[in-house]
Amino acid sequence: MRVPLSWLREYVDLPATETGRDVQAKLVSAGLEVETVEHLGADLKGPLVVGQVLTIEELEGFKKPIRFCTVDVGQANGTGEPQEIVCGARNFQVGDKVVVVLPGATLPGGFSISARKTYGRTSHGMICSGDELGMGDDGSHGIIVLPPETEVGKDAIELLELVDEVLDIAVTANRGDCLSIRGVAREAAIAYGLPLRDPALLDVPGPNAFGYPVQVSDPLGCDRFTARTVTGLSPEARSPLWLQRRLQKVGMRPISLAVDVTNYVMMELGQPLHAYDRTLVRGTIGVRRAEEGEQIVTLDGVERKLHAEDLVITDERGPIGLAGVMGGANTEIADHSETEGTTDVVIEAAHFDAVSIARTARRHKLSSEASRRFERGVDPQAAAAAAQRTVDLLVLLAGGTAEAGVTEVVAPSAPHTISVPADHPDKVAGVSYGRETVVRRLQEVGCDVYGQDELIVTVPSWRPDLQEINDLAEEVIRLEGYENLPSTLPRPPAGRGLTHRQRLHRRAGRVLAGAGYVEAPNYPFVSEQVFDQLGLEADDPARRVVRLTNPLNDEEPALRTSLLPGLLGALRRNDGRGSHDLALFETGLVFLPRSEQRVAAVLPVDRRPTDAEIAELDAALPEQPRHVAVVLAGAREQAGWWGKGRPADWADAVEAGRLVAREAGAELVVRGGQYGPWHPGRCAEFVVVVDGVETVVGHAGELHPRVVKAFGLPARTSAMELDLDVLEAVGDDTPQAPAISTFPVATQDVALVVDKFVPHAEVETALREGAGELLEGIRLFDVYENEEQLGDGKKSLAYALRFRAGDRTLTVDEASAARDAAVALAGERTGAVLRG
C-alpha cells in the first residue's frame, strides 16, 4: 500500500517538521512494515510552469514527425515573449495548456535543461510528459494537457504536486484495514497520540423504497449491499488534477472520471466499489452463486468460465460482474465523449465473504485491488459511507444529480465481543502494563471496553482480524512497543540435544560434502509426468503419490516419492549455466501414501495434545522416510599438471552409497540390479538384512540414455538414492576403536575366472565366507576380459586377500590353507576357477 504523506496529513495533523522517515519509524514501531519512503521530486528544480500553445509548425524532412511550437508562459521566462520549443509529441494542438520546463531547470534523474539547437531550430526548453516528470503514465502516452481553465505561468510543481513523500507499506494478510489511507491514518494518529479526522464519518441518508432494485440470494456470501444512483453526469467531465495525482501516487492509472472516483474512494476508505452504466443494466441487480458453466467477459477483455462456487453480480441477462473481483464488460463505464459517454451510473458498495472472494480470485488467476482488500477483510459498516462519498464527488466533479433512492440490503449480525482478563496482556508479554493501559490501548484501536478485572471488549467493524484474547493482547503489546519488551535468553534443560535420526542426517551430509558433493535442497513438489521421464513401470509403487488440495503450482500438484527429480532438475539448470563438472546431493523426506486413507483430526490449541491424539494424527499422515541422493556429471577429478583427471562414472555413485552406509554403521551389500532410471548394465542394487530378510534400500549407477535425454542432462550422468531411515534401523554407529595388531599381515592374491554374468559381489561373498576368521580384508583390484586367453563369455577377477591372526604370526601354510578354502567355496557357488 502506497501512502502519500500529503494525503495522510489530511486526516492527521502531523507535526510540520515530521518527514517521511520520521513517520516510517513511528509506524514500524507500531507494527506496520514500511519498506521504503520514496521522495518524489527530490531532484526536481524549476522553473516548471504552465504554458499555452500559440502556434505549431510541422518540420519536414525528418524520419519522425517534429513540431516547432511557440508557447505563452507569461512572465515566467522574464520577458513575456513566447517560448520557442521543438517537440515530437502529437497529442496536443494550438490553444492547449501544457507543462513547460524552461532552461536552467533540472528534471528527475538529474537531467538539466538548457537551450540547444536541434532539427535545425533552437529549442528553449521542453513540453513535458508525465514520465519525464516522474508522474507515471496518465494513459495519454504523450505530453500533459492541462484543463483549459489552468492559469498560464502558474508554477507546475505546486499545481501537479510533484514534490511529496510516499510510504510503501507491506500490509500483512490480517490487516486489511491498512489497505486504505483511512486505516494508515488511524495507525499514525495512535502512534503520535493525535486525533483522527475519520473520512468515513459522513451524513448518509437511510435506505428507502425508491432505490435501485437489488436482490441478494446468498446472504452468507454478501451480507451487505448498498446501491446509489447518479444521473446527468457530463460525458466530457474529466478527473481534476488533484484526483489524478493522488491516484498516480498510490500506484493507479487515471482512466475516466467515474472509474477514477470509485478507485479514489477505495484507496481513501478501503471499501471497493463498482460503477455500472445504468443504461446497460437490465432489470434488478442480483447477487448469487454462479451456475456451473456460465460465462462472463470481464473488464480485462477475457472470457471466463464460471465455477459453481463463484459469487456473481447479475441482472436479468445473467452475470455482469465477478463479485468483489472484477466487473463485466457488458456494463462498463464509457469514456468521456460528447455522444457515447456514460451519463447515468449505479454505484455498488457491498461487503462479500473473504474466503469466497479469495477462492474466486485464485481460481480465475485474477488478482485485483478489490479482491486484495476483500480477502483480507473490509469494514462492512463503511459501505454506505463509501457510496455517499462517491456520489458526492460525482455530483461535485461531473455536475450530476444524486437520486433520492437509497438501496441497502443488510443481513442481520451482531458485533463481535471478546471476554479477556485485564491482566492477560501482562502474562503474554511478561510486562506489567496495568488495567488502565490495556483499556486505553484497546480504545485507541477502536474497541468498546467495559468491566474491571474481566473486560468485555467489542471489536470495531474495521478489525475483523481481532478474534480472540491473544489478538487483543497483541494490540496492546505492539502499541506499547515491541522494542520495550525485555529480552530473556531461554535456558534449555541439560541432557537434551539432537535425536539419533538428526545426528545421522547431519553426518551423512558432512561425509558427502567432504567427498566433494554440494548440497542442493529442492522443493518437494513434482508432476506425475516426471515418472514417465524416469522410466518407471506402470505398476511401480513410486507412482502412487500424495496429491495436494491447494498446490503452489498447478503443474506440480503432488509430493515427491524420490529425491531424484529435484536433483536432476538442479543439475540440468547448473549445466545450462556453464557449470559442467557437477556433484550434487540432497537429504530430505519423501512422501508415500498409506494404503488406508484417514482424515486428520484437528488438534486442540489450548493444551498439549495427548499421546493418543498425536498418534492418531500421525496415522493419518503419509509415511515420510528420509532419503539421501546424489547426482554426478562431468569431471570427477580435474586434469592438470598432476595428471589427466577422470570423468565421473557409475562407480562414484556406488561409492557415495557406501560412504553413507559406513556413517550409519550399516553393512551394505552391493550387487547388480535393474530399476527405473538406471542403465540396466550399469546399475547397482543396495541391500541390507532386516530381521533376517534381505531388503533393497536403494540403487546407484549410470542413468539410462532415455532418462538423460528426457531430462536434458549431460551424457553418462550418474545417480544414487538410499533410504536413510532403514540404514539407521539396521546400523550400529557406536564408535569403535581400531584394533591394532602387533603381528604381521599375510597377503595372498588370487585371480578367478568366472562367467561374465556372475556378479563380483557374489564372488566376494563366497571368498569371505570360505576364508573364515583369519581374513582381515578383501579388495578387487583388477577385472580382465580376453576371449583368446580366457574363453568366450568369461572374465577374470583379481582379489587381494589380507590374513592376520590376533594371537600369533601366521605361517605360509595357514594363509595358503585359508586362501584355498576361500577359492574352493567360490568355485562351488559361482563356478570360479583359478586363472592358470
Side-chain angles (χ1 to χ4, degrees):
M1 176 66 191
R2 290 171 57 85
V3 180
L5 196 57
S6 58
W7 199 350
L8 193 65
R9 290 183 183 273
E10 267 197 26
Y11 309 125
V12 185
D13 289 326
L14 299 173
T17 57
E18 289 293 281
T19 65
R21 294 290 183 190
D22 298 328
V23 178
Q24 177 189 30
K26 285 282 190 181
L27 293 179
V28 168
S29 178
L32 291 185
E33 186 179 344
V34 184
E35 293 187 323
T36 60
V37 178
E38 183 179 353
H39 297 269
L40 302 182
D43 50 357
L44 178 63
K45 177 186 174 184
L48 189 71
V49 298
V50 176
Q52 184 172 20
V53 180
L54 300 177
T55 65
I56 298 177
E57 179 188 351
E58 301 288 345
L59 301 183
E60 305 293 339
F62 300 103
K63 292 182 179 179
K64 62 179 181 178
I66 298 297
R67 310 167 100 185
F68 181 69
C69 310
T70 60
V71 185
D72 177 13
V73 294
Q75 297 299 319
N77 58 4
T79 65
E81 296 295 324
Q83 201 78 5
E84 296 179 339
I85 298 174
V86 175
C87 182
R90 313 290 297 176
N91 66 315
F92 65 97
Q93 56 191 357
V94 172
D96 281 347
K97 303 288 180 66
V98 295
V99 177
V100 178
V101 56
L102 300 177
T106 303
L107 294 182
F111 182 57
S112 297
I113 303 299
S114 61
R116 65 189 182 95
K117 191 169 183 179
T118 179
Y119 297 103
R121 303 293 180 93
T122 301
S123 181
H124 299 271
M126 283 176 53
I127 301 176
C128 298
S129 68
D131 285 335
E132 289 165 340
L133 297 179
M135 297 168 55
D137 180 30
D138 61 357
S140 67
H141 303 290
I143 62 98
I144 303 167
V145 178
L146 300 171
E149 64 273 13
T150 310
E151 179 186 350
V152 172
K154 184 177 179 63
D155 184 358
I157 295 178
E158 179 184 350
L159 176 70
L160 299 177
E161 301 178 15
L162 296 178
V163 178
D164 202 350
E165 292 182 277
V166 179
L167 309 177
D168 193 351
I169 303 175
V171 179
T172 54
N174 65 318
R175 292 302 305 273
D177 61 304
C178 287
L179 285 173
S180 66
I181 303 297
R182 178 196 184 201
V184 177
R186 181 179 291 107
E187 292 296 315
I190 296 172
Y192 280 93
L194 297 171
L196 169 70
R197 289 188 292 275
D198 191 343
L201 295 180
L202 301 174
D203 291 330
V204 179
N208 54 50
F210 311 109
Y212 198 93
V214 173
Q215 182 178 1
V216 178
S217 303
D218 189 341
L220 294 179
C222 175
D223 58 6
R224 184 179 295 266
F225 194 106
T226 300
R228 300 289 299 276
T229 304
V230 182
T231 59
L233 299 176
S234 171
E236 295 180 312
R238 297 175 55 187
S239 302
L241 286 175
W242 64 265
L243 194 150
Q244 292 186 45
R245 287 297 294 133
R246 286 195 170 177
L247 288 178
Q248 289 173 330
K249 288 177 185 179
V250 297
M252 303 190 77
R253 182 172 65 87
I255 299 172
S256 64
L257 177 59
V259 176
D260 291 349
V261 167
T262 57
N263 286 336
Y264 177 84
V265 175
M266 176 180 66
M267 303 308 296
E268 182 181 55
L269 302 182
Q271 168 67 53
L273 302 110
H274 189 69
Y276 302 93
D277 188 326
R278 184 177 180 178
T279 62
L280 300 178
V281 179
R282 302 286 184 263
T284 301
I285 291 178
V287 183
R288 61 169 171 83
R289 297 289 172 177
E291 296 176 7
E292 191 69 41
E294 274 189 307
Q295 294 184 341
I296 183 176
V297 178
T298 45
L299 288 173
D300 57 358
V302 177
E303 183 175 335
R304 302 182 186 277
K305 187 176 181 180
L306 300 178
H307 188 275
E309 291 184 5
D310 292 335
L311 197 65
V312 292
I313 311 298
T314 65
D315 64 6
E316 63 184 24
R317 296 167 299 179
I320 60 173
L322 268 177
V325 181
M326 185 174 286
N330 54 355
T331 57
E332 181 179 5
I333 296 291
D335 204 352
H336 48 78
S337 166
E338 292 185 6
T339 58
E340 300 179 357
T342 297
T343 58
D344 300 342
V345 297
V346 178
I347 305 299
E348 166 208 308
H351 184 261
F352 301 110
D353 175 61
V355 174
S356 177
I357 300 305
R359 288 177 176 172
T360 296
R362 183 178 180 84
R363 189 180 298 118
H364 293 283
K365 297 181 174 62
L366 183 60
S367 179
S368 64
E369 292 289 346
S371 67
R372 285 184 64 221
R373 284 160 176 78
F374 278 124
E375 64 192 27
R376 286 166 172 79
V378 168
D379 180 5
Q381 301 294 333
Q388 182 63 45
R389 177 76 164 136
T390 304
V391 168
D392 292 342
L393 286 172
L394 287 175
V395 170
L396 174 67
L397 301 176
T401 301
E403 288 195 352
V406 177
T407 303
E408 194 163 333
V409 181
V410 181
S413 62
H416 181 54
T417 60
I418 304 171
S419 178
V420 55
D423 62 347
H424 182 69
D426 300 8
K427 294 177 179 178
V428 173
V431 176
S432 180
Y433 292 123
R435 178 188 177 281
E436 213 174 284
T437 299
V438 171
V439 171
R440 175 172 57 85
R441 287 303 190 184
L442 293 178
Q443 288 175 338
E444 288 177 344
V445 171
C447 299
D448 291 331
V449 186
Y450 303 95
Q452 293 299 317
D453 294 338
E454 190 75 16
L455 303 178
I456 305 300
V457 180
T458 302
V459 175
S461 59
W462 57 82
R463 291 299 302 275
D465 59 306
L466 302 181
Q467 293 292 322
E468 48 103 14
I469 60 174
N470 286 326
D471 296 330
L472 300 179
E474 182 182 2
E475 291 300 296
V476 175
I477 295 168
R478 75 175 181 88
L479 294 178
E480 284 295 306
Y482 289 121
E483 67 276 11
N484 296 324
L485 293 177
S487 299
T488 306
L489 290 175
R491 296 181 180 180
R496 295 183 182 178
L498 299 176
T499 65
H500 184 268
R501 187 186 193 212
Q502 291 170 329
R503 288 197 298 272
L504 177 58
H505 172 208
R506 294 191 180 190
R507 290 206 314 274
R510 281 197 294 268
V511 72
L512 289 174
Y517 292 84
V518 177
E519 187 171 15
N522 295 283
Y523 287 117
F525 312 117
V526 295
S527 67
E528 295 182 68
Q529 288 73 28
V530 77
F531 301 122
D532 296 328
Q533 294 177 295
L534 289 174
L536 301 185
E537 298 291 339
D539 59 348
D540 195 299
R543 284 183 175 268
R544 293 185 63 243
V545 295
V546 177
R547 300 177 189 275
L548 298 171
T549 303
N550 192 21
L552 291 178
N553 183 350
D554 292 339
E555 296 181 358
E556 296 179 331
L559 292 173
R560 66 189 178 190
T561 57
S562 166
L563 301 183
L564 289 183
L567 275 179
L568 294 177
L571 187 141
R572 180 183 63 246
R573 286 191 299 274
N574 282 275
D575 181 71
R577 289 169 171 79
S579 298
H580 304 302
D581 303 324
L582 296 161
L584 309 178
F585 83 92
E586 181 179 6
T587 57
L589 301 179
V590 298
F591 305 86
L592 310 177
R594 298 181 187 270
S595 55
E596 179 185 356
Q597 298 293 329
R598 299 185 185 181
V599 178
V602 179
L603 297 183
V605 296
D606 57 341
R607 59 174 174 82
R608 184 189 185 280
T610 64
D611 292 342
E613 288 172 330
I614 295 176
E616 183 181 357
L617 176 64
D618 287 341
L621 298 176
E623 295 181 21
Q624 302 176 50
R626 185 175 293 279
H627 282 200
V628 57
V630 306
V631 293
L632 307 98
R636 186 65 176 140
E637 294 177 4
Q638 295 290 338
W641 58 265
W642 53 84
K644 296 181 180 180
R646 69 174 183 84
D649 61 16
W650 62 269
D652 295 300
V654 173
E655 181 59 24
R658 285 196 172 105
L659 284 173
V660 174
R662 281 197 289 270
E663 279 298 312
E667 186 175 343
L668 193 67
V669 177
V670 182
R671 63 191 184 197
Q674 183 172 341
Y675 178 68
W678 282 279
H679 194 297
R682 299 178 186 134
C683 175
E685 184 178 78
F686 294 141
V687 177
V688 296
V689 178
V690 182
D691 298 329
V693 178
E694 287 190 346
T695 303
V696 177
V697 293
H699 296 83
E702 184 180 312
L703 294 179
H704 197 287
R706 284 197 299 268
V707 175
V708 170
K709 182 179 179 180
F711 278 91
L713 304 172
R716 309 190 78 87
T717 297
S718 300
M720 178 278 294
E721 184 166 13
L722 264 174
D723 189 326
L724 203 53
D725 284 356
V726 177
L727 291 184
E728 178 195 7
V730 301
D732 180 11
D733 56 358
T734 304
Q736 301 289 336
I740 301 175
S741 176
T742 59
F743 298 100
V745 65
T747 302
Q748 297 272 356
D749 293 345
V750 295
L752 303 178
V753 178
V754 297
D755 292 328
K756 282 187 179 180
F757 63 82
V758 176
H760 141 68
E762 292 184 14
V763 178
E764 181 180 316
T765 300
L767 289 174
R768 284 183 181 277
E769 293 184 18
E773 296 180 355
L774 294 179
L775 182 67
E776 183 182 75
I778 181 171
R779 179 174 61 88
L780 175 68
F781 66 85
D782 185 53
V783 178
Y784 177 69
E785 295 181 9
N786 188 310
E787 291 186 3
E788 294 182 2
Q789 296 186 17
L790 303 177
D792 187 24
K794 298 292 184 179
K795 65 180 177 182
S796 171
L797 304 176
Y799 294 91
L801 308 179
R802 290 167 57 90
F803 299 99
R804 195 191 317 251
D807 57 350
R808 68 189 187 281
T809 299
L810 290 179
T811 64
V812 173
D813 292 339
E814 288 177 308
S816 298
R819 180 202 61 190
D820 294 341
V823 171
L825 187 59
E828 180 183 333
R829 290 189 178 177
T830 65
V833 296
L834 280 172
R835 182 177 170 187

